[in-house]
Amino acid sequence: VQLQGWGPGLLKTSQTLSLTCAVYGPSITTSYTYWSWIRQPPGKGLEWMGSISYSANTNYSPALKSRTSISRNTSRNQLTLQLSSVTPEDTAVYYCARDPNGWRSFDAWDQGTQVTVSS
């Protein structure tokens, strides 16, 4: 499996971040597979943002739930993350990752997308 993420690298406060992750290899509808978005702010640890399951069920971090939306396009085998009302605190490297069993144990990651939010 290979994951490739992309999106705008620079945003202004209050804009909506939109990132896409293409999955090459298995279908994103493969049973029991979950697909997560994770971010790492500069100098901080990894933060799980949310996931979408093989059956399109979504689950979000309580801290980000009000601003986050994860969706998928099965015909393109792609995932999308939207984060609204961004602030400089949302500056981070954003990753998409595969969780093969729903236990938040990730076995494949994309290269990471740097997103910087200016005030």
Side-chain angles (χ1 to χ4, degrees):
V1 59
Q2 289 188 334
L3 288 76
Q4 182 177 12
W6 68 88
L10 184 61
L11 294 171
K12 295 182 179 180
T13 295
S14 81
Q15 291 184 324
T16 295
L17 168 66
S18 182
L19 298 177
T20 301
C21 177
V23 177
Y24 300 99
S27 168
I28 59 175
T29 63
T30 299
S31 292
Y32 312 120
T33 301
Y34 293 73
W35 305 89
S36 283
W37 287 94
I38 300 159
R39 68 181 183 178
Q40 186 169 29
K44 297 184 179 180
L46 295 169
E47 178 184 21
W48 178 81
M49 302 180 66
S51 66
I52 187 165
S53 75
Y54 59 98
S55 58
N57 291 323
T58 54
N59 189 22
Y60 300 108
S61 164
L64 298 170
K65 185 175 182 178
S66 65
R67 299 194 291 130
T68 306
S69 177
I70 297 174
S71 59
R72 68 182 190 177
N73 183 322
T74 55
S75 63
R76 295 183 176 183
N77 219 41
Q78 293 178 352
L79 314 161
T80 300
L81 168 73
Q82 291 193 314
L83 181 66
S84 63
S85 303
V86 297
T87 71
E89 286 67 41
D90 294 310
T91 294
V93 178
Y94 287 74
Y95 299 94
C96 57
R98 184 177 72 170
D99 173 4
N101 49 33
W103 296 347
R104 298 190 194 171
S105 176
F106 307 105
D107 69 349
W109 299 69
D110 76 334
Q111 77 284 3
T113 300
Q114 173 67 50
V115 175
T116 301
V117 181
S118 63
S119 57

